[in-house]
Amino acid sequence: MRLVHLDLKGAAPRVSYLEQVFPFLSQLGANGVLIEYEDMFPFKGELEILRSPYAYSEEDIERIQQLAEQHKLEVVPLVQTFGHVEFILKHEKYQHLREVERFPNSFNPHVPETLALLKSILSQVIEKHRRSTWIHIGADEVFHLGEGMDSKNWMSHNKGDVGTMYLKHIKEVLGFLTAQFWGLRVLMWDDMLRKIGVGALRVALMAHACPSAVPFLTKYVESGFEAVWFASAFKGTTGPAQAWTPLSYHLKNHLSWLKVMQAVPRLAPLRLQGVVLTGWQRYDHYSVLCELLPVSIPSLAICLQTLVNGGFTEEAKRKVLDVLGLESVQLEQSTCEGRGAFPGVEIYHMVEQVNGHLKDSILKALEEESAIKGWFSPYHRKRQFGNPRNMESFGSKVLKLHEDWESFVRDLRAQLERIYFPDTVEEWMEENVNPYLDQLRDLVRDYR
């Protein structure tokens, strides 16, 4: 299985955009999507507080599944059940369920209410995904586990360590899922398991994990796992505020995974069940947005085709160019030649402009223009005086630059609004455009 991860805790696309993207995914070799809803799920009743103002409706969730079915994509919902639960624990209502009172990252597994809450979250999500045969329970990066008072007491009373405490909670979650939803298979990330010994793991045999190298695999074989998944990345791993996707970096990531895959047959009876191509949209609920989905589609295409063909072969390259409507791809420069014909290609080109030229052109005008430095300095602007003769020497140039960027940004905003909800558009502009454009706007205002 080749699942593409849709991380909806940031820049969740409108369903109309997914209508365009899903056919592309299956054309490029994906046969499933791993959907991390977080606050985009239409939680009901007690849980309504968890919904984003722009959360998908129940009809949207149904539509997404119909689209997936239409394009032969298996849907696997992802619900975080231990760490990365800021979207839950940031609310005052659930603050008392934190492992460490100050941090909203991780659940305290010793409060009975934690499991009760998880049961109702999982039930609501699974109820709306009746076609799905898999669920992913996250369970990665449980920061500060073992630092809360309840955990310290538990460890001293039970002569246990953080690993056994972690497994105890995971087994409770799995126990609920297997009892309530017969036949549903469970996936989880494996980073927390890597620190746990074979003995403990054997007791808590889990459905699947996503390990990342051969030494770990040997341990999982000894622990009795039958199948593993790998998790690669097509975007969202090269910096929390990364705006442009580095192509060769992500291609290399997939090439090294192919090497690990070749080693799996030697580890029989362990078998490789699938790969998740992760595409993080934020590093966590509180961080800024990283690369937008349209910006990373060339990377996704390259990575999927690399997995399908066992390398970035001529055939893979031809298929990528063909499906994306491009003339060529420059891996080292992370650029694509040609107009492109993939969903969101306008945003791809516009973000390239912002990323490559906006900051430079504005700083160049403001910092390097000696007439501005000499006759329209912060000192002049603060006191509102200047000689029109000298000011006119740079005025038309600055006004034109300002008008060009303002008109470009209007177009960019319109394109973003077609794909994203207003909160995403605002956030992206605040992060990537306004820090520079505002300086130019201020200068033009003072100049006028």
Side-chain angles (χ1 to χ4, degrees), residues 282-299:
R282 296 187 195 284
Y283 276 31
D284 69 33
H285 187 79
Y286 281 93
S287 71
V288 298
L289 295 169
C290 33
E291 310 103 300
L292 296 172
L293 187 54
V295 168
S296 58
I297 282 186
S299 171

Side-chain angles (χ1 to χ4, degrees), residues 30-61:
N31 50 20
V33 281
L34 175 68
I35 306 185
E36 184 163 357
Y37 287 106
E38 206 173 88
D39 58 359
M40 285 303 289
F41 187 81
F43 290 109
K44 290 193 306 216
E46 278 283 277
L47 301 178
E48 205 170 319
I49 190 173
L50 302 178
R51 289 166 66 154
S52 146
Y54 299 101
Y56 292 148
S57 65
E58 292 185 18
E59 294 71 36
D60 290 336
I61 302 288

Side-chain angles (χ1 to χ4, degrees), residues 125-139:
V125 172
I126 295 167
E127 280 305 323
K128 290 276 169 265
H129 291 83
R130 278 311 193 174
R131 304 178 185 75
S132 296
T133 54
W134 297 89
I135 178 119
H136 195 308
I137 59 167

